[in-house]
Amino acid sequence: MKLRSFFYALTALVLVLLLVGTGGFYWLTSQSPLALLRNGSSPSPTAAMFVSKQAPIMVSVLVNPSRLEAFRQLVAAPGERRQARLELHQLKQSILAETNLDYRRDIQPWVDDEITVAIMSPDFDRNSQNGLQPGYLLAVKTKDANRSRDFIELFWQKQASIGADLVFEQYKGVKLIYSNNLPKNVPTPPKPDTPTRPYNSLASAIVGNQFVLFANNPRVLRDAINNVQAANLNLRDSTNYQMALQNMTEPRIALTFVNLPAISVENEQAAAQRRYQSLVISLGLHPEGLLAEASLIAAPDQKITATPPALSAPVSALQYIPASSKLVAASTNLEGLWQHLSATPSTTLQQLLEVAVASLQKSWGIQLTQDIFSWVQGEYALGMLPGSSDIKPDWIFVAEKSPTAQASIEHLDAVAQQQGLSVSSLQMENHSVTAWAKLTTMLTNNKNQTPFALEAQVQGVHVPVGKYEIFASSASAINQALNAGENSVLKSPEFKSAIAPLPTPNDGYLYIDWAFTEPILGRKLPIFQLVELVGSPLLDHLLTLTVSSYGNDSNVQRSKVFLRLGTHLPYLK
């Protein structure tokens, strides 16, 4: 058997089953674990006792895979259930093809309601000659100790029958079984000065009557057992981890822990300025999709001032953002937000905003951070709406004017003129609109007129309305903003549904229409290409994604994300 075959196969199967659930992994019977979750249970991964405090990532699924498979059948249309069942069966067979195992016969009977996957170390052997060798751990909770032992025995019998050299080891009262098969044509042992590569290895152990462990090397299993026996080593007893869990009160079916320093490539200066130490994300159920909670835990040497949520309702600036907008961001104090994001490198939200900023700066020819963000200390709203093509959408930006705003706006007009743009006024909807345009000449075919005519290519427009200044990338976009009225996002049923699960007060919203925005973001942000690859079954049903944050409390920054899906079960409301 190839290295990783069984370990990755079982992990992939569980994750695929999780994603196949698409609409929220709902179950109908009162005996279902998900019914308990819906009624307020918030389980924590027991397997965290095996995971080191320094582990880069831990992901736990807190629901039995059979429930997810049953849900897939539940949400499928009657005429599609047979096909869905066939597809899932083929998927299982392809994943387990190299293991000679059958999921339903060999695995399903003993798997319980917790499966945890962790990267225990970025380089478990600490050997610079073979590069980074991450140590992977898979911990599966068992509901039938005898069947799980039978499974382990059967599995290793099959490996021995195809030539695996098995090693049996007692380590601190736990029986380890593993294989060490040397790659073909490699000297045994290799010369000391010869660069080596890791040998094919797979290891398993059963801890008590509760967990079956798999790892890609016996060293990883030994570390896991050490973590259990020394409380100061494991994640379960980590202060940061417990602090994050205390801030998560919503029912959950999955939990992710990320050790930010362990996954970041930073220089010494950036590491010293790191604001946050860890990220914990829990995934829960909602009648129309999935609701995730996220907690960013401050680094030990960072003291972050407690700040309450700023808003008790959506900002009024949204009244000028049309309901057709496919991306909306709205809050207060843009200058403060940008400074905060700039001090927190490599966040997805920062990347999203940088995409918007880059697009606007290219359209308008200005430096937004210097020329606009600096004076936007009150309300603001940003909207992206379909333009002349999907590749080049239109943008609208609405900002509450501060005392320094007028001088800054006049400076923007001056910058436009310096860049060779024409700055002129025109009337639109009883408003005096300032347009930045690039004038070009074109030939005419009319012999009775001058052979050349001027053509104005609008690069940007802005207009004062009440206490706001509205900027847009085109005359069409500014016209839609001025006429939003009852057709603004504030009146939009789609937007209302997208923000309804996110409680107030909060710090505002980031709203994304996935189907329209994903192709644009996918071209700009590599992270979205990875999200698509891992979460394709789920994303096929994703309608909108909405993010909100809730200030800082005890050095914990809290956020929530609502994924509204196309498949939902209204009777769970």
Side-chain angles (χ1 to χ4, degrees):
M1 187 185 75
K2 294 182 180 179
L3 175 64
R4 306 172 301 176
S5 292
F6 177 74
F7 174 73
Y8 287 146
L10 187 57
T11 303
L13 179 62
V14 170
L15 294 180
V16 167
L17 285 171
L18 177 64
L19 293 172
V20 164
T22 64
F25 322 111
Y26 310 110
W27 184 241
L28 297 176
T29 67
S30 59
Q31 290 79 19
S32 167
L34 294 186
L36 295 175
L37 293 178
R38 191 175 67 245
N39 292 332
S41 175
S42 297
S44 299
T46 309
M49 63 184 176
F50 298 110
V51 181
S52 166
K53 290 180 180 179
Q54 307 304 321
I57 299 175
M58 180 188 78
V59 179
S60 295
V61 179
L62 304 172
V63 59
N64 192 291
S66 296
R67 301 298 188 188
L68 306 182
E69 183 178 354
F71 172 74
R72 179 66 182 92
Q73 291 297 308
L74 177 68
V75 299
E80 299 175 354
R81 288 174 183 169
R82 184 174 181 275
Q83 180 63 26
R85 186 163 51 248
L86 178 61
E87 290 174 353
L88 189 56
H89 174 72
Q90 292 174 341
L91 180 62
K92 291 178 183 178
Q93 291 301 107
S94 64
I95 290 176
L96 296 175
E98 296 184 2
T99 67
N100 296 318
L101 295 171
D102 180 86
Y103 177 82
R104 189 174 298 277
R105 181 194 67 213
D106 300 324
I107 301 174
Q108 182 174 308
W110 57 268
V111 173
D112 203 1
D113 56 2
E114 180 184 332
I115 300 171
T116 293
V117 181
I119 300 177
M120 297 284 280
S121 168
D123 189 15
F124 71 83
D125 65 355
R126 299 178 178 84
N127 184 350
S128 59
Q129 291 184 324
N130 61 20
L132 294 178
Q133 303 300 324
Y136 298 101
L137 178 73
L138 173 64
V140 184
K141 193 173 183 180
T142 177
K143 61 185 178 183
D144 190 325
N146 291 330
R147 286 200 171 192
S148 59
R149 287 190 176 91
D150 291 342
F151 163 76
I152 291 295
E153 182 178 349
L154 173 65
F155 171 75
W156 286 114
Q157 285 177 355
K158 290 184 176 181
Q159 303 318 304
S161 69
I162 58 176
D165 297 327
L166 304 187
V167 179
F168 299 86
E169 175 186 339
Q170 286 292 131
Y171 184 78
K172 295 186 177 181
V174 178
K175 181 180 179 180
L176 310 185
I177 307 175
Y178 53 92
S179 65
N180 279 328
N181 290 341
L182 297 180
K184 295 180 179 179
N185 304 321
V186 174
T188 308
K191 297 179 181 179
D193 58 347
T194 301
T196 60
R197 55 192 179 98
Y199 295 152
N200 289 349
S201 183
L202 182 68
S204 72
I206 297 179
V207 180
N209 294 322
Q210 191 176 16
F211 276 98
V212 178
L213 305 183
F214 297 95
N216 61 329
N217 193 278
R219 298 184 192 183
V220 178
L221 285 188
R222 296 187 196 108
D223 289 342
I225 294 169
N226 292 339
N227 291 335
V228 175
Q229 298 184 357
N232 62 319
L233 296 179
N234 68 59
L235 181 60
R236 182 187 60 183
D237 297 316
S238 164
T239 301
N240 280 351
Y241 180 70
Q242 292 299 328
M243 184 186 301
L245 293 183
Q246 291 171 7
N247 283 272
M248 294 180 168
T249 57
E250 298 289 341
R252 53 179 170 258
I253 61 168
L255 188 77
T256 297
F257 174 84
V258 182
N259 184 352
L260 297 176
I263 66 170
S264 302
V265 179
E266 302 173 316
N267 56 36
E268 292 183 4
Q269 180 179 2
Q273 297 176 347
R274 183 191 307 117
R275 291 172 60 89
Y276 296 104
Q277 180 76 16
S278 53
L279 169 66
V280 181
I281 303 172
S282 72
L283 186 66
L285 310 178
H286 185 274
E288 295 186 5
L290 302 175
L291 187 61
E293 288 185 279
S295 291
L296 271 171
I297 314 299
D301 57 345
Q302 295 286 334
K303 296 299 179 183
I304 299 176
T305 304
T307 55
L311 300 169
S312 58
V315 295
S316 298
L318 285 169
Q319 65 185 296
Y320 298 107
I321 302 297
S324 59
S325 297
K326 304 303 182 180
L327 182 149
V328 176
S331 185
T332 61
N333 191 7
L334 183 58
E335 180 185 28
L337 173 65
W338 190 258
Q339 290 175 352
H340 172 74
L341 292 176
S342 298
T344 311
S346 301
T347 65
T348 299
L349 179 57
Q350 182 190 28
Q351 292 182 55
L352 287 173
L353 290 178
E354 285 178 346
V355 168
V357 167
S359 178
L360 287 166
Q361 288 184 160
K362 185 176 181 180
S363 297
W364 295 348
I366 58 176
Q367 294 297 315
L368 289 180
T369 54
Q370 300 174 14
D371 298 331
I372 293 184
F373 291 178
S374 61
W375 56 267
V376 182
Q377 300 163 9
E379 295 181 9
Y380 68 88
L382 175 70
M384 182 188 79
L385 56 159
S388 56
S389 69
D390 291 347
I391 298 176
K392 188 177 180 181
D394 273 328
W395 293 90
I396 297 173
F397 179 68
V398 185
E400 184 177 1
K401 291 184 288 189
S402 64
T404 62
Q406 190 56 44
S408 297
I409 293 169
E410 292 174 356
H411 170 68
L412 292 175
D413 291 337
V415 169
Q417 288 181 319
Q418 292 171 4
Q419 294 178 349
L421 299 178
S422 170
V423 178
S424 58
S425 296
L426 55 93
Q427 289 298 119
M428 182 180 293
E429 300 294 332
N430 298 320
H431 294 281
S432 180
V433 177
T434 300
W436 305 329
K438 181 179 180 180
L439 299 179
T440 60
T441 58
M442 57 180 296
L443 291 172
T444 64
N445 295 323
N446 193 330
K447 297 181 180 180
N448 296 325
Q449 297 180 357
T450 58
F452 296 97
L454 287 177
E455 181 182 42
Q457 299 177 352
V458 174
Q459 305 295 305
V461 290
H462 66 90
V463 58
V465 181
K467 64 178 182 178
Y468 302 104
E469 189 78 17
I470 304 176
F471 297 83
S473 57
S474 69
S476 173
I478 203 81
N479 184 59
Q480 291 183 63
L482 294 173
N483 289 282
E486 293 298 313
N487 292 318
S488 71
V489 293
L490 285 176
K491 306 292 184 179
S492 167
E494 288 291 323
F495 184 73
K496 289 181 178 179
S497 295
I499 68 173
L502 302 177
T504 53
N506 57 39
D507 293 324
Y509 301 103
L510 173 64
Y511 163 85
I512 297 174
D513 181 311
W514 184 255
F516 180 88
T517 310
E518 181 275 333
I520 299 173
L521 296 178
R523 289 191 294 267
K524 300 289 186 179
L525 301 178
I527 188 173
F528 276 90
Q529 298 173 12
L530 177 61
V531 169
E532 279 188 313
L533 178 64
V534 175
S536 180
L538 175 63
L539 299 180
D540 287 345
H541 295 263
L542 181 59
L543 299 178
T544 61
L545 181 149
T546 317
V547 183
S548 188
S549 62
Y550 297 87
N552 298 312
D553 182 19
S554 302
N555 285 346
V556 178
Q557 180 175 314
R558 296 175 294 113
S559 302
K560 288 191 177 182
V561 182
F562 175 50
L563 292 87
R564 184 165 172 259
L565 302 167
T567 302
H568 66 280
L569 301 179
Y571 47 76
L572 287 179
K573 292 183 178 180

